[in-house]
Amino acid sequence: MKQLNKIESGILVVGALLMVIGSGANIYLKVWAPYLFAMGALAFVLMQLKQRYEGQNATIRRLRHIMITSDIFFLASAVLMFASPKRCFGLDYITYLNYIHNKWVVTLLVAAILQLYSTHRISKELDKEAKKA
């Protein structure tokens, strides 16, 4: 797995912190929270996409695809955080409440679970691969 340099690792950590602050700030700072979360998600996803795996291990490749899926869910969470009844594609209020209101929490939860699983498993698989070599 390609390692990030110090600046890229810093961007990854800052992006993760911005996502945490943005999701927590949604309680009090509804105006700024989506922007914080979106900037963090974008930085986090871009740095994760820079990490590549050039090996032949099919398990790590599959786990890498799961990680990219979680990145898509992080970006979907950012888009859903921006949705409000006034800005939501002309949907009426009831439809907005049924399908969009606070659904970013669900996509964020799915992304976090997939991210935790794939990160944990990739590190285990890379350790196995390193022991063989």
Side-chain angles (χ1 to χ4, degrees):
M1 194 92 147
K2 180 182 176 250
Q3 294 296 318
L4 299 175
N5 63 32
K6 287 185 180 186
I7 294 172
E8 293 168 341
S9 295
I11 292 171
L12 183 80
V13 170
V14 168
L17 286 174
L18 282 175
M19 285 195 305
V20 170
I21 292 168
S23 60
N26 195 44
I27 297 169
Y28 300 110
L29 304 170
K30 293 234 183 238
V31 175
W32 290 100
Y35 295 101
L36 289 173
F37 186 86
M39 287 188 305
L42 192 61
F44 186 80
V45 167
L46 288 175
M47 289 304 111
Q48 272 201 340
L49 290 176
K50 282 192 72 130
Q51 290 179 317
R52 297 203 181 274
Y53 177 70
E54 281 109 17
Q56 298 300 321
N57 190 334
T59 304
I60 296 176
R61 287 183 178 272
R62 178 185 56 85
L63 290 166
R64 183 81 178 115
H65 290 295
I66 292 172
M67 188 179 281
I68 291 170
T69 303
S70 76
D71 290 340
I72 292 169
F73 276 106
F74 279 133
L75 294 175
S77 297
V79 169
L80 288 173
M81 277 185 92
F82 280 104
S84 71
K86 296 175 185 171
R87 296 184 283 185
C88 197
F89 311 117
L91 298 175
D92 66 339
Y93 191 68
I94 300 299
T95 306
Y96 165 79
L97 285 177
N98 284 335
Y99 297 110
I100 295 175
H101 181 67
N102 286 341
K103 298 301 190 263
W104 65 270
V105 177
V106 175
T107 57
L108 180 60
L109 179 64
V110 170
I113 290 170
L114 290 175
Q115 190 70 224
L116 284 171
Y117 171 74
S118 61
T119 303
H120 174 72
R121 286 288 317 229
I122 285 174
S123 68
K124 294 286 185 189
E125 290 295 323
L126 287 174
D127 288 343
K128 282 184 197 176
E129 200 172 86
K131 287 180 183 176
K132 286 181 184 178

